[in-house]
Amino acid sequence: MDISLIIGIIAIIVSLIALSYAGFLSFKIMKVKPGDEKMQEIAGAIKEGAMAYMARQYKTISIFVVVITAILGWLFSYPIALGFLFGAILSALSGYIGMGISVRANVRTAASAKKGLREALSVAFKGGTVTGMSVVGLALLVVSVFYIIFRDPVLLVGLGFGASLISLFARVGGGIFTKAADVGADLVGKVEAGIPEDDPRNPATIADNVGDNVGDCAGMGADLYETYVVTLLAGMLLALIPSVSQTYNMAIEYPLMLGSVAIIGSIIGTFFVKLGKKSKNIMGALYKGLIVSGVVSAAGFYWVTWYTKNPMNLFLAAVVGLVITILINVITEYYTSTKYKPVRKIAEASVTGAGTNLISGLAVGLQSVFWPVLIICAGIITAYSLAGIYGIAVAAISMLSLTGLIIALDSYGPITDNAGGIAEMAGLDKKVRKNTDALDAVGNTTKAVTKGYAIGSAALAALALFAAFTQEIGHVMDKQLYFLLTDPAVLVGLFIGALLPFTFSALCMTAVGNTAQKIVEEVRRQFKSIKGIMTGEAKPEYGVCVDIVTKAALRNMILPAVLAITAPLLVGLLLGIKALGGLLIGVILSGLLLALFMSNSGAAWDNAKKYIEDGNFGGKGSEAHKAAIVGDTVGDPFKDTAGPALNALIKVINTFAIVFAPLFVMYGLNLF
């Protein structure tokens, strides 16, 4: 039997193991009792809102999927169109699975918190692991199956485009939903009414909790699914370069082998995430699992390199990816955790008002970009010196090898956030809320760390995609094309590409701001018109707020997606292929820097608020706390809407350019 076929079959088997493990953990979670009737009622409302939003979102997205599938089938070939369709479907499915388990694990985490911190962590992490294993399992499965069928990586680029586009919709729509609800709830509830977070008297509370699931769980699931898919594809496409295929054995299959052994490493790592009987070091327990996964994966990478009889330079390039992951995680935690100086300085600045809080938070966000970018640059140089452009792709694939555990850490965050909300709204004992607060505080940091990881991996993946784009152009034109900075077409493309992330972010931020205004007005209306809300005698109309943010998210997610498609289309057709190449580099560089800045500053503002709520600088209700709430409100759409969505924007534009490259070469007007 053909060795490439054997490797493809092994990859399929490993992906099915990951999906089976996710199913087993889901079964274990569902066996945990969901708490009392009041807890189940609140959790049911969150689940109903989340499911309703996802159903309406996918109904809207399906129109775009059908139209684009038909266009791709007409312009190119059925494998490209079929790849786009399945890439889109599985991207949506990965997000849906993440959200589906989250809305079931949240109440069970709250119920387990009655027993103790250790039990609650176990349920929350299992819930996150279901999402992580589902994402990597589905991603490796679809790439392996399509490779076995078509045997040509070029015919798989539709997979990446479909996955990226759905991820963009999920990130933008979910981000608008969650942050509009969160900002509206905070501004009226905390600042004006002076009631705690997740207080059942706040009409926007259920919408806020729903948003945690559709934004973080569904959004991050779709985001890293598409990053995983396009990174594998980039590596396989670069393996077609004659110099790569002649230098390395099984260069096309090598990425599939790395993905397979890494899934096994991730599964093994999950067994090490647990607290000792007296330990309260939650972050340490989570990192222990991540480190074990990294070590096992590295051992697997060594074996794969030895088995394929490749030079150990490829293994070292894979190690570079693991090192980048660890360093970015450490640096992101430093800038966003309450344990370190940057967040505490923001909290201290809050004592003198919202203005100084905002200035300090912006400064921290800007500073936080410095080291991750230098680390990525060092990684690119090292990987390239080891194995050329293929080495950069291998480093990116290596970074994505930890996706299963990384998503588990990310999805853990909204599960514990919801658990705290349920505990508050159900009036559970303060000891329970103390346990959920401890889990939630770590969850804020894990969400920030995973966003940094997603952005860093997206940057390396995008560079590999750009290299694949240049190879595709060279293949179509039958000559090597060079993008020179002295060429005005390239410079114009660079400027347009650098501009796009700012325009895109403005659309996302505006949508959050406008929708949050509507939520503020609705919450104020209910406080005034529904007598007895503040005394607890009357129940707020939660559904109205859910409906407002649902409609706004679905309406406002369309324009950013249209921008992501029309910009490269117009540049490629009107200004030519060189301008398009400049655009791709511009959007990668600008998008990377802006995404890091927005994600880290938002997380730092959030944790500065929590640091004050823990009793520092006056604690809850103090002037410092009110100032910190303003900073957190500004940071919310930074870290959960615009910042993370830039990952998807970068990859949508790059995969779109690869798919449509032949069209641009043949029919571009090339006005330069």
Side-chain angles (χ1 to χ4, degrees):
M1 187 182 290
D2 185 1
I3 186 65
S4 62
L5 180 61
I6 294 173
I7 292 171
I9 292 172
I10 291 173
I12 290 173
I13 292 171
V14 172
S15 65
L16 293 175
I17 290 172
L19 294 172
S20 299
Y21 185 53
F24 169 72
L25 291 179
S26 298
F27 175 74
K28 295 272 287 184
I29 291 169
M30 295 306 292
K31 287 184 69 176
V32 177
K33 292 181 180 179
D36 58 37
E37 187 176 338
K38 179 67 173 175
M39 294 170 66
Q40 292 182 50
E41 179 187 348
I42 296 165
I46 296 171
K47 177 184 172 184
E48 182 182 349
M51 292 294 188
Y53 171 76
M54 294 296 284
R56 290 171 68 175
Q57 183 186 52
Y58 288 157
K59 185 178 179 180
T60 303
I61 294 173
S62 64
I63 299 171
F64 288 87
V65 172
V66 170
V67 171
I68 295 174
T69 301
I71 292 173
L72 291 175
W74 175 58
L75 288 175
F76 302 109
S77 61
Y78 88 90
I80 300 292
L82 192 65
F84 174 83
L85 180 62
F86 273 87
I89 290 172
L90 292 185
S91 180
L93 180 60
S94 62
Y96 190 83
I97 289 172
M99 189 274 301
I101 193 62
S102 174
V103 295
R104 291 168 173 82
N106 53 12
V107 67
R108 289 168 171 81
T109 300
S112 299
K114 295 178 181 179
K115 300 178 182 178
L117 192 62
R118 187 182 184 188
E119 291 79 4
L121 172 63
S122 176
V123 175
F125 183 72
K126 282 187 176 74
T129 304
V130 170
T131 306
M133 291 299 124
S134 299
V135 167
V136 295
L138 289 172
L140 185 61
L141 178 65
V142 72
V143 174
S144 303
V145 169
F146 267 70
Y147 177 63
I148 286 178
I149 294 172
F150 298 112
R151 297 299 185 91
D152 184 359
V154 174
L155 296 177
L156 273 62
V157 293
L159 279 174
F161 181 37
S164 299
L165 188 61
I166 299 307
S167 168
L168 184 65
F169 277 116
R171 267 302 191 192
V172 173
I176 292 170
F177 186 114
T178 182
K179 289 304 107 179
D182 194 1
V183 169
D186 283 356
L187 286 177
V188 184
K190 290 182 180 178
V191 178
E192 294 183 9
I195 58 179
E197 187 171 2
D198 298 317
D199 193 297
R201 294 172 292 179
N202 192 328
T205 297
I206 294 296
D208 185 10
N209 282 280
V210 170
D212 290 332
N213 296 289
V214 301
D216 281 314
C217 289
M220 179 60 86
D223 185 356
L224 282 177
Y225 164 84
E226 61 97 3
T227 303
Y228 198 98
V229 168
V230 300
T231 306
L232 285 178
L233 289 177
M236 295 169 77
L237 287 169
L238 293 178
L240 297 176
I241 301 173
S243 60
V244 173
S245 59
Q246 292 165 12
T247 305
Y248 303 109
N249 299 316
M250 291 185 276
I252 295 177
E253 294 80 16
Y254 190 78
L256 295 178
M257 298 176 75
L258 293 185
S260 298
V261 298
I263 284 179
I264 302 301
S266 294
I267 292 174
I268 293 172
T270 62
F271 292 101
F272 288 83
V273 178
K274 51 188 173 183
L275 285 175
K277 290 185 178 180
K278 295 183 179 180
S279 174
K280 293 184 179 181
N281 186 6
I282 301 168
M283 185 61 85
L286 296 172
Y287 273 167
K288 185 163 58 176
L290 191 61
I291 291 169
V292 169
S293 293
V295 171
V296 174
S297 295
F301 296 162
Y302 182 87
W303 178 83
V304 167
T305 309
W306 170 83
Y307 175 77
T308 55
K309 298 179 181 179
N310 274 306
M312 282 300 149
N313 284 358
L314 271 188
F315 165 69
L316 294 176
V319 172
V320 168
L322 293 176
V323 172
I324 292 173
T325 299
I326 293 169
L327 292 178
I328 286 180
N329 284 1
V330 170
I331 290 167
T332 305
E333 183 183 356
Y334 172 74
Y335 280 105
T336 60
S337 173
T338 56
K339 295 187 294 183
Y340 302 109
K341 185 178 178 180
V343 166
R344 295 187 177 189
K345 288 292 289 183
I346 297 173
E348 183 181 355
S350 304
V351 174
T352 50
T356 45
N357 168 281
L358 293 173
I359 293 169
S360 181
L362 289 170
V364 166
L366 292 168
Q367 292 166 11
S368 71
V369 174
F370 183 82
W371 285 111
V373 170
L374 288 188
I375 288 167
I376 291 170
C377 290
I380 291 170
I381 293 170
T382 306
Y384 186 83
S385 66
L386 288 167
I389 193 67
Y390 187 63
I392 296 176
V394 168
I397 293 165
S398 173
M399 281 192 75
L400 268 297
S401 68
L402 299 176
T403 295
L405 254 291
I406 294 290
I407 294 179
L409 297 183
D410 182 81
S411 296
Y412 155 92
I415 289 172
T416 57
D417 194 351
N418 269 202
I422 292 169
E424 178 75 28
M425 287 185 277
L428 300 186
D429 189 89
K430 288 185 178 180
K431 290 182 179 179
V432 176
R433 186 67 210 233
K434 185 177 180 181
N435 285 335
T436 59
D437 281 349
L439 294 169
D440 186 27
V442 171
N444 279 326
T445 301
T446 62
K447 285 190 288 185
V449 166
T450 52
K451 286 183 178 72
Y453 162 85
I455 294 164
S457 61
L460 283 185
L463 285 175
L465 284 172
F466 178 76
F469 166 76
T470 60
Q471 293 304 312
E472 176 68 7
I473 292 298
H475 175 71
V476 174
M477 300 179 68
D478 199 24
K479 66 177 182 179
Q480 183 65 46
L481 189 66
Y482 296 97
F483 298 91
L484 303 176
L485 290 178
T486 53
D487 189 330
V490 176
L491 285 175
V492 168
L494 277 169
F495 276 113
I496 295 173
L499 169 69
L500 287 177
F502 289 88
T503 306
F504 177 87
S505 298
L507 292 173
C508 294
M509 298 284 287
T510 300
V512 171
N514 291 342
T515 309
Q517 286 180 341
K518 295 178 181 178
I519 291 295
V520 167
E521 291 167 0
E522 174 59 26
V523 174
R524 286 172 177 169
R525 182 196 68 79
Q526 291 196 33
F527 279 157
K528 290 179 181 178
S529 62
I530 302 177
K531 305 300 180 184
I533 283 186
M534 297 307 292
T535 60
E537 297 172 3
K539 187 177 179 180
E541 297 173 355
Y542 299 118
V544 177
C545 290
V546 173
D547 191 55
I548 288 172
V549 289
T550 297
K551 290 178 179 177
L554 295 177
R555 183 175 63 254
N556 288 294
M557 72 179 182
I558 295 173
L559 188 55
V562 171
L563 175 69
I565 293 174
T566 56
L569 179 64
L570 292 176
V571 169
L573 288 177
L574 297 179
L575 303 182
I577 207 71
K578 290 186 177 181
L580 180 60
L583 181 145
L584 298 184
I585 290 295
V587 79
I588 291 170
L589 298 179
S590 172
L592 167 66
L593 297 174
L594 190 59
L596 284 170
F597 159 66
M598 297 181 90
S599 295
N600 290 342
S601 57
W605 268 316
D606 190 355
N607 273 342
K609 178 198 68 176
K610 282 188 166 46
Y611 185 69
I612 293 172
E613 289 174 346
D614 288 339
N616 301 289
F617 301 110
K620 289 183 180 180
S622 65
E623 292 303 313
H625 185 226
K626 292 178 182 178
I629 291 172
V630 174
D632 178 39
T633 301
V634 173
D636 273 338
F638 268 43
K639 68 181 175 65
D640 288 325
T641 307
L646 287 170
N647 296 341
L649 174 75
I650 293 169
K651 284 167 288 184
V652 165
I653 290 177
N654 276 269
T655 53
F656 180 88
I658 294 174
V659 171
F660 283 81
L663 188 72
F664 298 142
V665 171
M666 289 186 288
Y667 301 109
L669 295 179
N670 206 356
L671 295 179
F672 278 94

